[in-house]
Amino acid sequence: MSAISLQNISRHFGDFAAVDGVDLEAATGEFLTLLGPSGCGKTTTLRMVAGLEQNTGGRIVIGDEVVSDAERGFFMPPERRQLGMVFQSYAIWPHMTVFDNVAYPLRIRRRPKDEIQQRVTKALKLVEMDSFASRPAPALSGGQQQRVAIARALVFEPRVLLLDEPLSNLDARLRTQTGDEFRALQKRLGITSLYVTHDQGEAMSLSDRVVVMQKGRILQIGAPEDIYQRPRSRAVAEFFGAPNLVETTVRGCKQLANGLFELDVAGQGWSGTCRAGEAFASGVPALVMLRPETLTLADAATGGMSWTGEVASSIFRGAQRSLVVKTVAGALNVDTTAFAHPAVGSQVAIVADAAAAWALPATRQG
Amino acid sequence: MSELSAPSPTGGAMAGARVGATTPARGLSGLVSRRGLGMAALILLLSFLTIYPFSMLMYGSLHSTPPGMAGEYNLDGYRQLMTREALGILLNTIGISLGKTIPSLGLAVFLAWIIARTDTPYRDKLEVLITLPFFIPPILTAMAWAMLGNPQVGLLNQVFKWATGANYSPINVYSWGGVVWHMVQYSTPFLFLFIVDVFRAMDPSLEESSRMCGASRLRTFGGITLMLMLPALTNSFILSFIRGMENFESPLFFGTPAKITVITTEMYNSINHHATPDYQYATAIGFAVMALMFLLVFAQWRILRGRSFATVTGKGYSPSVMKLGKWRWVTFGFCALFFAVTVVLPVSQLLIGSFFRFFGFYQWDMLTTEHYQAVFSSSEIWRAVTNTMMLGLVGATLTMALGAIVAYISVRTKWRGRRVIDALAWLPWMMPGMVLGIGFLWAFAMLPGPIPIYGTIWALLLAYLALGTPVATRVMTGAYAQLSFDLEECSRVHGASFFQTLWRILVALAWPSFAVGWVLTFFGIMRELSASVLLYSVGSEVLSVVLMKLWANGLAEQVSVIGLLMMLLVILFRWVQIKILQRYVTTLGA
Ligand SMILES: Nc1ncnc2c1ncn2[C@@H]1O[C@H](COP(=O)(O)OP(=O)(O)O)[C@@H](O)[C@H]1O
Ligand SMILES: [Mg+2]
C-alpha cells in the first residue's frame, strides 16, 4: 500500500493549468522529491496534498483514505488530514516560545500536560533544539527556526511529512549540513516525506526517488541515478548541468541482460556504442548525451567515441576545470581535473566512456 | 558625506576655484551658519506653534486671571479639578471613550476580515464605502442624527410609530447611547483602515501551518491570527481611545442636552456658558487631559516595545481568501448595512430636511426650496464657504510643506537639532483641538499690537497648521523611508542645493504621499470644530462654526442644505483621491 497516491490530479487557475494531470505514488517510508524550475507547479501539488489548495481534477488518497476527490466534490480540510508540513518561511509563530510552538499540535489534540511535556522534549531533542525550549521564537536564527518547524511537524507523528523548499532560506554551508541531518532523521523515523525543491543537488543527495516536473506535468520519475544518468528526454537531461547532446544515426541495436539496450551509432566521420533505455530502429536519428565529467582527455584519439579538437575556452573552477573543445561532433563541454590545463588554442583528444553515453530519441519533446 | 557635497553659491564657487588647496574652510562655515539659521528659524516656527500656546496654558492654569490682567498665582484651577463633580466628568469621559472603542474595534476587525479574507462580492467597492464615514465632518452626521433620532419628531421614531402604530419613541439620541453610537460611526472606519492592512500584510503560512497542526479555521483565527495582530490591535485601541477623549462634536450634540458632560464639553462650557469665563479651570482640565494622554502614549510605548512581530512576508502572496458559499451575501449585506446606516441614512435625512419647510413635519404641501434660496443668498454663509475653502487650500498646502521639510530633516539628514524639530512637530498630537484652541487664544492675545493675529483668519490658519503637522509629518516620513538614499546623494553630488534636492525628490517620487497627506489635511481642516469655535470671530467664521450657530438658532433646514453641499465636496475629493492617487500609493495613508 502506498502512503500517498495522486491520481490524475490537476489545478486550474482560470484557464491556466498550474498542475495538469499528475499521477504519483509514494511508498511508505519513502523520500520523494518534486523537482523542477520555479513556477512548474511543485508547491501547488504539495499544497493540494496538504489540503491548502483544492484540486480541480483527480483524486488524492493518503494511506487508505480518500482525502480529496474532485469528481465527487469531496474535499477534506487540512486539519483533518493528519499531515506534517514545513513551510519555506518556516511559519514559526513569533508570539510563542519554541516550546509552545512545538506543543501547539498536541494542545489542539487535547493531550494531557505531562504527555505534551514529554513528547515536545523528545521532538526538540530529535532536532537538537531542546536547550532552546523557553526561547521566544523571534530570537532564533534561520537554521534554528527550520529545526523548530521540523519538530513541530513531527511531534504529533503525522502520516506524511510535506516540505516546501525548507532549505532555500539557509546559507549554502548550512544547507548541505541541515539537509544531510534531516535525511538521517527521516531514515531513522521511517516517515514518508514529500519534498519540494528547485535545487538539483539537494534533490539528488536526499531523495529515494525524484519526480522531475515541467509546466505542471511530470517528465520523469526515478532514482537520482536514473534521472541523472538515464534521462528519458532531452528536457530532463538538460535540467541537470550542461550535457553535450550529439546528433547521431542509429546503425544497430541489441538488448543487454540488464534490460537496457546497446546502440551502435555513427556521427559525421566517427562511430561508437552507447546505452539506451528503449529499442531504436536502424537508421533513425538519436541524440547521444555525454555528461562533461564522463569525457576524459587523452594523448590521441583511439577510435570509437573519441575526437580531437581545439580548446576554445578553459575555466578553472577549483575542483575541476571546464573546457570547451571544438570537434567534428560540435563544441563539447569537458570537465577535467584542475591539474590538466591545456592551453587555449591547443589540440587535444577526447575519449567518451561508452557505458556513460546515453541515447535519447531525437524527436521526443518534453 | 552628503553635507560636504552641497556647495553654497558663494562657498561652492570658492571651493571650486581652489581645487586641491586646503579645506575650503570659508565655504563650509558659511554653509553651516546658513543651515544653522534655517534650523533656528524652523525651531522658532515650530515652537511658536506648540511650545508657546503650551506655556500660555500652563500660565493660565496657575494664574487667577487671563494673561495681561492683574491677578495672582494659585492652584485654584487644579483644586477645582479635585472635586467630586470634576472627577465624575473625567470618569464619564473615560467610560464613553471605552464604551465606543470596544464595539468599534470588534466591528472594525469583523469588517476588515470580511474585506481582506473572504470572497464577499464587490469587496473593493465595499471597502471604499465602509471608509467613507471617516471623511465626513462629524458635525454633519451629528446634526443629521439629531434629526433622525430626536425623541419627539425624529424621522426614525416617526417611521417606527407609523409602521407599528405604537405611540412611544424607541430611539433617543440625546443619551449616553447616542453619544457612543455617533462616535462608533467614526472610530470604526478609522480602526478599519489600520486593521485591514494588518490582515493583508500577514504571512498566510503562519495561519496555514496552524491548520496543518490540526486546528480548525475558527481555532486558527482565535489562537494565531488575532494573537499575531495583538500588538497592532493594542496600538489601534489606544489611538482610538485617545481620539475618543478628544472628541467634541458627539458629546456636544448628544450629551449636553441630556446633561452628560465630558472633558471637552466641560472646557467649552466653562468658557462659553459661564457669566465670566472660568479660564483657569478650563486650562487646568486641559493640562489634566494632556497628562492623561501622555500616560497613555507612554503605556502604549511600553506595551509595544519589542512586540511588533514581523509577520510580513517579502513575497507578493495574497493571504488565502475564505470561500463563504452563500454566506458571502450575508457578509456583503452586513457591509452594505454599515454603509447604509452611517452614510445613506444621515445623508437622506439632510436631503429630506433641506426640502421641507419645517424639520420634522414631512407633508407634501410642506415641500419647498426656500432653504436653498436662503442659504445661497446669505452673505454670512458665502463668507464662511470662502473662508473654509481658503483655509483648506492654503492650510493643507502649508501644513504639508512644513511636514515635508520636518520629515525630510528628521529622517534623511544627520543635522544637529533634528530630534528637537521632530519632537516639536509631534507635540500637538497630545493636545486635543479644544486645548490647543485655548492655548492659541491667549497666545495670540498676548502678541504685541503690531502683529494682528488675534481675532483674524490667521489665528485659525496657525491653529490648523499646528493641529495638522503631526499627521503631515508622519505621512511624509513614511514616504521618505521608502526611497533609497542614493537618489538624493546622487542629486546633491551633482551640485543641487538642499531645497533643489528636496523639491526634486518631492516632485519626482514623494508627490503621491504628499497628495494623500494634503487631502487628509484638507478634510481635517474642513471638519475641525473644537479649536475653530474658540478662535473664530465675526468675519472669520468657517463652515463648521456657521453650522453650529445656525443649529443653535433652530435653523436645522438650512443646516441640511449646507451639510449636503459639504457632502458633495467630500465625495468629490474622496473620488479624486481614489481614482488618481490609489494607483500610486498602496495604503490609504490614514
Ligand atoms: N493562487 C494562484 N492564482 C493564480 N496562479 C497561481 C496561484 N498559485 C500559483 N499560481 C501559478 O501556478 C504556477 C505554479 O506555481 P507554484 O506551484 O507555486 O510553482 P513552483 O512551486 O513550482 O515554483 C505558477 O505559474 C503560478 O504563477
Ligand atoms: Mg514553490
Side-chain angles (χ1 to χ4, degrees):
Chain A
M1 183 191 74
S2 47
I4 314 173
S5 162
L6 309 186
Q7 298 163 10
N8 195 26
I9 62 161
S10 310
R11 177 67 172 113
H12 290 256
F13 294 108
D15 285 342
F16 172 71
V19 175
D20 192 8
V22 161
D23 279 297
L24 192 61
E25 306 268 330
T28 305
E30 190 177 22
F31 194 120
L32 196 62
T33 298
L34 302 182
L35 174 68
S38 184
C40 72
K42 309 176 297 284
T43 297
T44 308
T45 308
L46 196 76
R47 289 169 60 83
M48 285 192 288
V49 176
L52 296 170
E53 196 88 63
Q54 262 188 32
N55 46 319
T56 48
R59 221 158 77 110
I60 301 173
V61 185
I62 295 175
D64 48 11
E65 188 180 20
V66 177
V67 294
S68 166
D69 188 338
E71 278 67 41
R72 287 198 296 123
F74 173 72
F75 178 78
M76 186 188 281
E79 61 267 23
R80 286 182 38 216
R81 295 193 182 189
Q82 305 282 341
L83 308 174
M85 183 152 175
V86 178
F87 290 81
Q88 187 165 9
S89 57
Y90 313 135
I92 298 298
W93 300 303
H95 61 300
M96 299 182 184
T97 62
V98 167
F99 186 92
D100 291 335
N101 262 282
V102 179
Y104 186 82
L106 300 174
R107 294 203 170 121
I108 294 286
R109 288 169 176 77
R110 299 181 195 289
R111 308 311 307 169
K113 255 206 165 64
D114 42 346
E115 184 191 328
I116 292 180
Q117 178 71 40
Q118 176 217 332
R119 285 172 71 174
V120 170
T121 311
K122 193 174 139 211
L124 285 175
K125 272 215 176 80
L126 275 182
V127 294
E128 293 168 17
M129 285 292 290
D130 42 330
S131 57
F132 294 88
S134 55
R135 279 263 185 111
L140 296 180
S141 72
Q144 291 170 331
Q145 288 194 25
Q146 198 253 12
R147 285 158 187 267
V148 175
I150 290 178
R152 184 178 64 189
L154 288 174
V155 73
F156 61 99
E157 289 166 6
R159 297 191 281 189
V160 174
L161 191 56
L162 308 173
L163 304 102
D164 189 358
E165 313 227 5
L167 303 180
S168 65
N169 287 334
L170 302 180
D171 58 51
R173 277 166 78 96
L174 202 55
R175 203 177 300 165
T176 322
Q177 184 200 340
T178 314
D180 294 346
E181 279 172 15
F182 174 68
R183 173 61 163 152
L185 180 65
Q186 185 268 337
K187 271 190 179 146
R188 192 143 56 89
L189 300 177
I191 184 164
T192 314
S193 301
L194 191 54
Y195 187 99
V196 161
T197 182
H198 66 270
D199 183 301
Q200 328 137 17
E202 223 173 277
M204 284 190 287
S205 59
L206 299 178
S207 326
D208 289 317
R209 283 193 303 154
V210 176
V211 181
V212 182
M213 292 184 66
Q214 191 184 50
K215 292 185 185 144
R217 292 170 175 277
I218 292 180
L219 293 180
Q220 187 170 358
I221 307 179
E225 289 89 346
D226 275 334
I227 301 280
Y228 186 77
Q229 296 169 349
R230 295 178 282 279
R232 273 189 68 243
S233 63
R234 182 173 185 151
V236 176
E238 284 182 331
F239 190 68
F240 300 93
N244 301 296
L245 294 167
V246 180
E247 290 173 12
T248 63
T249 309
V250 178
R251 292 200 305 203
C253 174
K254 73 171 190 249
Q255 189 157 18
L256 299 175
N258 59 6
L260 297 179
F261 296 82
E262 187 178 83
L263 300 188
D264 191 4
V265 294
Q268 282 181 329
W270 62 274
S271 65
T273 61
C274 66
R275 303 287 153 88
E278 57 206 285
F280 282 71
S282 285
V284 301
L287 281 177
V288 173
M289 178 190 83
L290 303 164
R291 294 265 173 215
E293 68 278 8
T294 65
L295 299 176
T296 45
L297 295 182
D299 296 331
T302 56
M305 275 208 203
S306 67
W307 307 270
T308 55
E310 181 191 317
V311 178
S313 77
S314 164
I315 298 167
F316 176 64
R317 294 193 196 280
Q320 83 235 24
R321 188 179 294 278
S322 300
L323 306 177
V324 177
V325 181
K326 284 192 182 143
T327 69
V328 288
L332 298 179
N333 297 313
V334 180
D335 283 353
T336 172
T337 106
F339 292 103
H341 46 98
V344 172
S346 64
Q347 290 288 316
V348 293
I350 303 166
V351 179
D353 177 1
W358 182 256
L360 302 166
T363 48
R364 181 181 292 150
Q365 296 300 317
Chain B
M1 270 175 76
S2 59
E3 46 222 71
L4 290 176
S5 56
S8 62
T10 53
M14 288 288 297
R18 292 190 287 140
V19 178
T22 51
T23 48
R26 264 191 57 196
L28 202 59
S29 70
L31 181 71
V32 165
S33 66
R34 250 177 32 132
R35 182 199 299 156
L37 273 179
M39 289 289 278
L42 194 56
I43 291 178
L44 215 61
L45 172 65
L46 287 169
S47 304
F48 180 72
L49 291 176
T50 55
I51 303 275
Y52 182 41
F54 185 84
S55 11
M56 280 299 152
L57 277 174
M58 175 110 72
Y59 172 87
S61 72
L62 294 171
H63 201 257
S64 61
T65 55
M69 283 185 232
E72 53 165 9
Y73 288 97
N74 61 32
L75 290 174
D76 283 354
Y78 292 102
R79 220 164 276 140
Q80 261 174 289
L81 264 188
M82 289 299 137
T83 59
R84 174 185 282 252
E85 200 191 343
L87 287 179
I89 289 169
L90 182 66
L91 286 181
N92 211 6
T93 311
I94 294 176
I96 283 179
S97 195
L98 274 182
K100 70 104 190 183
T101 307
I102 293 168
S104 305
L105 192 66
L107 240 140
V109 168
F110 185 52
L111 289 170
W113 174 77
I114 291 177
I115 298 299
R117 289 302 179 82
T118 69
D119 65 342
T120 300
Y122 306 112
R123 295 194 293 283
D124 48 340
K125 309 234 169 17
L126 285 175
E127 183 175 359
V128 174
L129 297 183
I130 287 174
T131 51
L132 189 63
F134 179 71
F135 299 92
I136 303 175
I139 189 172
L140 289 189
T141 50
M143 290 166 175
W145 274 99
M147 295 188 245
L148 281 165
N150 182 304
Q152 279 82 43
V153 291
L155 188 60
L156 292 179
N157 286 321
Q158 289 198 26
V159 170
F160 176 80
K161 285 181 196 165
W162 173 79
T164 61
N167 58 0
Y168 65 95
S169 302
I171 297 172
N172 179 8
V173 286
Y174 300 117
S175 62
W176 202 86
V179 178
V180 166
W181 162 240
H182 187 244
M183 288 187 178
V184 164
Q185 295 179 44
Y186 283 88
S187 336
T188 305
F190 172 78
L191 289 165
F192 173 90
L193 284 169
F194 281 95
I195 295 169
V196 79
D197 276 348
V198 180
F199 264 122
R200 290 208 171 108
M202 192 176 291
D203 178 353
S205 68
L206 288 170
E207 290 171 325
E208 288 171 352
S209 60
S210 163
R211 304 286 306 279
M212 295 309 293
C213 287
S216 64
R217 225 179 243 286
L218 197 65
R219 182 106 197 231
T220 299
F221 188 76
I224 302 293
T225 316
L226 279 186
M227 288 302 133
L228 286 169
M229 289 171 68
L230 205 56
L233 291 181
T234 316
N235 210 348
S236 338
F237 184 91
I238 295 179
L239 218 60
S240 176
F241 181 68
I242 289 178
R243 283 174 66 102
M245 300 215 314
E246 294 179 1
N247 192 309
F248 178 52
E249 287 88 343
S250 314
L252 178 70
F253 276 83
F254 306 118
T256 308
K259 306 248 177 311
I260 299 169
T261 313
V262 298
I263 288 175
T264 46
T265 46
E266 175 76 354
M267 283 167 77
Y268 182 66
N269 289 339
S270 60
I271 292 175
N272 274 24
H273 292 199
H274 283 197
T276 51
D278 190 349
Y279 282 114
Q280 193 175 13
Y281 175 50
T283 45
I285 305 177
F287 251 89
V289 176
M290 281 194 286
L292 207 61
M293 292 204 176
F294 184 79
L295 282 181
L296 278 172
V297 171
F298 184 71
Q300 179 182 22
W301 176 74
R302 278 299 294 266
I303 293 171
L304 295 180
R305 197 172 39 169
R307 285 197 45 129
S308 64
F309 311 131
T311 56
V312 181
T313 35
K315 297 238 164 128
Y317 275 124
S318 58
S320 60
V321 162
M322 182 173 166
K323 295 199 173 59
L324 292 177
K326 53 181 186 298
W327 282 95
R328 62 199 232 275
W329 290 105
V330 176
T331 52
F332 173 85
F334 187 81
C335 297
L337 184 71
F338 180 81
F339 174 68
V341 172
T342 56
V343 178
V344 178
L345 210 53
V347 171
S348 315
Q349 170 66 63
L350 293 180
L351 202 61
I352 294 172
S354 70
F355 281 112
F356 283 92
R357 184 154 297 141
F358 302 111
F359 142 68
F361 297 90
Y362 306 123
Q363 276 125 26
W364 286 117
D365 56 347
M366 292 284 205
L367 274 175
T368 176
T369 57
E370 68 186 41
H371 307 309
Y372 284 86
Q373 289 159 11
V375 164
F376 285 117
S377 61
S378 155
S379 63
E380 192 195 13
I381 290 173
W382 274 115
R383 198 169 58 205
V385 170
T386 322
N387 282 344
T388 307
M389 284 297 121
M390 285 300 292
L391 283 168
L393 296 174
V394 176
T397 310
L398 287 182
T399 310
M400 285 313 293
L402 185 62
I405 293 174
V406 168
Y408 187 88
I409 291 174
S410 68
V411 291
R412 309 291 281 195
T413 72
K414 304 235 178 308
W415 296 356
R416 230 156 22 125
R418 66 183 193 284
R419 295 203 194 290
V420 178
I421 287 182
D422 200 35
L424 284 176
W426 181 73
L427 202 60
W429 201 81
M430 282 197 306
M431 300 196 201
M434 181 66 66
V435 176
L436 199 77
I438 299 179
F440 270 131
L441 198 62
W442 288 352
F444 296 145
M446 286 298 287
L447 285 174
I451 310 177
I453 292 181
Y454 185 79
T456 67
I457 201 161
W458 296 101
L460 290 168
L461 184 67
L462 287 168
Y464 294 158
L465 191 56
L467 283 171
T469 303
V471 170
T473 310
R474 235 191 72 188
V475 168
M476 292 316 290
T477 306
Y480 294 142
Q482 290 167 1
L483 304 178
S484 120
F485 275 90
D486 309 349
L487 291 163
E488 65 200 82
E489 272 169 11
C490 176
S491 159
R492 303 198 63 183
V493 163
H494 288 94
S497 74
F498 168 74
F499 275 105
Q500 282 171 320
T501 304
L502 179 63
W503 182 245
R504 247 178 244 176
I505 298 263
L506 217 53
V507 168
L509 300 162
W511 74 264
S513 303
F514 188 93
V516 166
W518 193 92
V519 174
L520 278 178
T521 317
F522 184 85
F523 279 129
I525 291 174
M526 251 199 348
R527 64 193 286 175
E528 216 296 319
L529 177 66
S530 50
S532 317
V533 81
L534 292 176
L535 291 173
Y536 84 93
S537 60
V538 179
S540 69
E541 298 97 339
V542 289
L543 267 177
S544 53
V545 170
V546 166
L547 277 173
M548 213 172 101
K549 281 165 75 178
L550 289 174
W551 181 261
N553 294 336
L555 296 171
E557 302 79 14
Q558 293 189 19
V559 161
S560 302
V561 175
I562 301 174
L564 277 178
L565 298 181
M566 285 177 89
M567 268 312 294
L568 279 181
L569 202 66
V570 166
I571 291 170
L572 179 76
F573 264 81
R574 184 77 183 121
W575 184 81
V576 169
Q577 187 190 13
I578 288 169
K579 277 288 155 200
I580 297 175
L581 297 177
Q582 210 77 115
R583 273 185 287 144
Y584 300 97
V585 219
T586 44
T587 66
L588 291 154

